C-alpha cells in the first residue's frame, strides 16, 4: 500500500504537521517574550533554551524503557494534551500580569519531559504503522514535513510575534497540540502485543539500550556526529536569537532559510542512497557540505543565511537516512531504548549548546558564539569517518565474493 493511501499514516503525518508548525512558532515566541516582557539577559535566554531540552538528560534514558513497556499511541496523545495545558498557562499569566521568568522556566522544563515521552514513542510507533519496508519513504515524508515547518513556522511565526505579540503566537501552539492529539486518537491500526518476558530491572534495561548503540559499529559514529552537530546548531540558533532580539521577523526568515536547506536535503536523501549505497550515503555528504558552515559567522546576513541553508541540507539528508537506518538496524523490542539513547545524546547536546551560547554571548558577545558554532559545524564530519572505513571493508568483501 502506498503511504499516500494509508489513512493511519496520513493521520500521523497531519498530527505531526500541526504540532511541528506550532512548536516552531513557540520556539521564537518564548525567548522574545522573555526578553521583551521580562527583560531577560543573554544568560537567562540561554538558560531558557537549555531547559527546553534538559529533560532529555534527566529522563531520556528511562523513557526508552518505559516506552518499550507501554502502548505508544496513548503516550503520544497524553503528551500532546499535557504540553497544551502547560503552554496555555503562559499567555494566561501574561494577561493577568503575573508572568515571571520562574514560570517560563517551569513550563519549558515540564514540557520538555512530555516532549521526551512523545518523541521516543513517536519514533518507535512509526515502524508499527508503516512497516519496516516503507520506513525510508515514511521518514522522507516526515523529515520533509519538519523542514517545511521550519520554514513556515519560523518564518510566519517571526512575523506573528512581531505583528501581534508573543502571547498570541503561543496560543497557536496550544491549538496545534490539541489538534495533534485528536488526529493521533483517530489512528486505528492496532499495536503489536507488549513483551511477555519478565521485566528486567530498570537500570539493566537502560544499560542494554546504551550498549546496543555505543557498541554498534554504525550507530556509534552516527550518534557521536549527531550530538556534535546538535550542539553547534543550538549554539548558532540561540546566538542568532540574542543578536536579533529587536528583529524577530528577520530572525524567523534567517532560520527559515535553514528549513529550506533541510527540506532540499531530505528530498534528495533517497536518491543519494540509491546513488552512493546504504553506507556511503551516511557519511560522504559531510566533507563536501561542511566548508560552507564557516560562512555562517559572516556579518552579511544574506550570505550567512545562504550558508545556513547549505549546512542544514546535510542535516536533512541525515535525518532521513540515519533515522531509517537506526530503525531498520534495531530489533523491535529495543526500539524504545535505542531511540531514547539517541534522544538522550542528541537532545542533551542541544541543552549543552544552548547553555554554551548563553555563556559565550554573555562573556564574549553573541557573534563570537556564532563563529564558534560555524567552526564546529565545519569539522563535525570527522566523527563519521569510521563509517568510511566500514564502507571500504564492505566494498572489499563484496568484490571478493
Amino acid at each position: 500500500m502506498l503511504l499516500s493511501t494509508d489513512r493511519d499514516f496520513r493521520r500521523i503525518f497531519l498530527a505531526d504537521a500541526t504540532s511541528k508548525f506550532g512548536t516552531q512558532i513557540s520556539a521564537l515566541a518564548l525567548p522574545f517574550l522573555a526578553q521583551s516582557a521580562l527583560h531577560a539577559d543573554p544568560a537567562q535566554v540561554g538558560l531558557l533554551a537549555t531547559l527546553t531540552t534538559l529533560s532529555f538528560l534527566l529522563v531520556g534514558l528511562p523513557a526508552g524503557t518505559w516506552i518499550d513497556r507501554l502502548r505508544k499511541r496513548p503516550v503520544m496523545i497524553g503528551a500532546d494534551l499535557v504540553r497544551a495545558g502547560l503552554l496555555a498557562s503562559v499567555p494566561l499569566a501574561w494577561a493577568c500580569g503575573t508572568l515571571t521568568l520562574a514560570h517560563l522556566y517551569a513550563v519549558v522544563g515540564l514540557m520538555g519531559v512530555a516532549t521526551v515521552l512523545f518523541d521516543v514513542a513517536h519514533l518507535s510507533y512509526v515502524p508499527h504503522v508503516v512497516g519496516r519496508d516503507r520506513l525510508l519513504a515514511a521518514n522522507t515524508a516526515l523529515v520533509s514535513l519538519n523542514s517545511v515547518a521550519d520554514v513556515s513556522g519560523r518564518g510566519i511565526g517571526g512575523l506573528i510575534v512581531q505583528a501581534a505579540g508573543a502571547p498570541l503566537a503561543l496560543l497557536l501552539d496550544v491549538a496545534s497540540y490539541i489538534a495533534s492529539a485528536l488526529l493521533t486518537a483517530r489512528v486505528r491500526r492496532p499495536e503489536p502485543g507488549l513483551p511477555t518476558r519478565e521485566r528486567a530491572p530498570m537500570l539493566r534495561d537502560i544499560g542494554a539500550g546504551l550498549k546496543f548503540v555505543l557498541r554498534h559499529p554504525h550507530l556509534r559514529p552516527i550518534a557521536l556526529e549527531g550530538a556534535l552537530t546538535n550542539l553547534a546548531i543550538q549554539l548558532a540558533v540561540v546566538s542568532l536569537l540574542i543578536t536579533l532580539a529587536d528583529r524577530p521577523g528577520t530572525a524567523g526568515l534567517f532560520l527559515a532559510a535553514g528549513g529550506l536547506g533541510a527540506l532540499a536535503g531530505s528530498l534528495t536523501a533517497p536518491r543519494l542512497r540509491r546513488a552512493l549505497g546504504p553506507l556511503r550515503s551516511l557519511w560522504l555528504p559531510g566533507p563536501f557540505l561542511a566548508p560552507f558552515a564557516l560562512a555562517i559567522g559572516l556579518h552579511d546576513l544574506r550570505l550567512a543565511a545562504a550558508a545556513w541553508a547549505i549546512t542544514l541540507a546535510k542535516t536533512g539528508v541525515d535525518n532521513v537516512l540515519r533515522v531509517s537506518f537506526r530503525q531498520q538496524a534495531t530489533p523491535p523490542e529495543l526500539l524504545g531504548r535505542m531511540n531514547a539513547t539517541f534522544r538522550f545524546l542528541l537532545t542533551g547536546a542541544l541543552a549543552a549548546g544552548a547553555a554554551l551560547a548563553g555563556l559565550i554571548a554573555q562573556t564574549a558577545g553573541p557573534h563570537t558564539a556564532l563563529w564558534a558554532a560555524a567552526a564546529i559545524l565545519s569539522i563535525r564530519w570527522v566523527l563519521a569517518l569510521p563509517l568510511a572505513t566500514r564502507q571500504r571493508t564492505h566494498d572489499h568483501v563484496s568484490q571478493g565474493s
Side-chain angles (χ1 to χ4, degrees), residues 16-17 20-21 24 144-155:
D16 213 29
K20 288 293 192 302
F21 178 84
Q24 293 302 332
S144 299
L145 162 66
N146 289 347
S147 302
V148 171
D150 280 350
V151 176
S152 58
R154 290 179 176 181

Side-chain angles (χ1 to χ4, degrees), residues 11-37:
R11 288 164 181 155
I12 289 291
F13 182 87
L14 289 173
D16 213 29
T18 56
S19 175
K20 288 293 192 302
F21 178 84
T23 299
Q24 293 302 332
I25 294 176
S26 63
L28 282 172
L30 283 170
F32 284 122
L33 180 63
Q35 292 177 94
S36 62

Side-chain angles (χ1 to χ4, degrees), residues 43-97:
Q44 290 170 325
V45 174
L47 177 58
L48 184 67
T50 301
L51 289 172
T52 62
T53 52
L54 187 62
S55 299
F56 282 86
L57 291 176
L58 300 178
V59 299
L61 292 177
T65 299
W66 297 330
I67 295 304
D68 279 337
R69 297 175 178 180
L70 297 170
R71 302 282 183 185
K72 280 67 175 175
R73 189 168 66 101
V75 173
M76 294 161 61
I77 295 169
D80 271 338
L81 294 177
V82 167
R83 290 187 289 183
L86 287 167
L87 195 59
S89 73
V90 174
L92 179 61
W94 175 83
C96 295

Side-chain angles (χ1 to χ4, degrees), residues 87-349:
L87 195 59
S89 73
V90 174
L92 179 61
W94 175 83
C96 295
T98 59
L99 183 64
T100 64
L101 272 175
H103 185 154
L104 283 185
Y105 291 156
V107 166
V108 298
L110 291 172
M111 284 184 65
V113 175
T115 299
V116 171
L117 295 172
F118 180 91
D119 285 357
V120 174
H122 185 271
L123 284 167
S124 305
Y125 187 55
V126 169
H128 296 318
V129 173
V130 304
R132 293 187 174 229
D133 58 325
R134 298 188 297 172
L135 274 175
L136 183 61
N139 284 319
T140 299
L142 291 169
V143 172
S144 299
L145 162 66
N146 289 347
S147 302
V148 171
D150 280 350
V151 176
S152 58
R154 290 179 176 181
I156 297 173
L159 296 176
I160 291 174
V161 172
Q162 189 159 309
L168 177 60
L170 292 176
L171 288 176
L172 292 177
D173 195 11
V174 172
S176 77
Y177 283 129
I178 295 172
S180 175
L182 293 174
L183 285 164
T184 304
R186 295 188 62 198
V187 175
R188 294 291 177 257
R189 188 161 302 164
E191 293 186 51
L194 296 174
T196 57
R197 64 178 176 84
E198 183 178 351
R199 290 182 178 178
M202 175 72 74
L203 289 179
R204 186 184 302 172
D205 268 353
I206 292 173
L210 280 168
K211 288 178 183 177
F212 177 76
V213 171
L214 297 180
R215 292 181 179 179
H216 196 286
H218 302 141
L219 297 186
R220 182 176 61 250
I222 288 174
L224 294 177
E225 187 195 357
L228 188 63
T229 297
N230 277 12
L231 183 147
I233 286 176
Q234 189 74 334
L235 178 58
V237 168
V238 175
S239 304
L240 182 77
L241 293 178
I242 294 172
T243 301
L244 300 176
D246 58 339
R247 290 182 286 168
T250 302
L253 291 175
F254 186 102
L255 296 177
L260 285 173
L263 174 61
S266 64
L267 293 176
T268 59
R271 294 181 182 178
L272 279 175
R273 190 180 188 277
R274 289 194 295 269
L276 301 176
L279 281 180
R280 189 175 284 112
S281 61
L282 295 178
W283 69 269
L284 192 57
F288 283 96
L289 296 180
F292 291 97
L294 288 174
I296 292 171
L298 295 176
H299 284 280
D300 188 318
L301 281 178
R302 289 171 297 182
L303 292 178
W308 182 246
I310 294 171
T311 300
L312 267 290
K314 166 73 162 54
T315 303
V317 172
D318 289 349
N319 285 344
V320 172
L321 298 184
R322 297 187 179 195
V323 169
S324 301
F325 184 88
R326 283 161 40 189
Q327 291 168 328
Q328 291 169 334
T330 304
E333 66 274 12
L334 275 170
L335 272 172
R337 281 166 285 172
M338 178 277 293
N339 285 319
T341 298
F342 266 88
R343 283 302 191 189
F344 173 79
L345 295 171
L346 301 185
T347 314

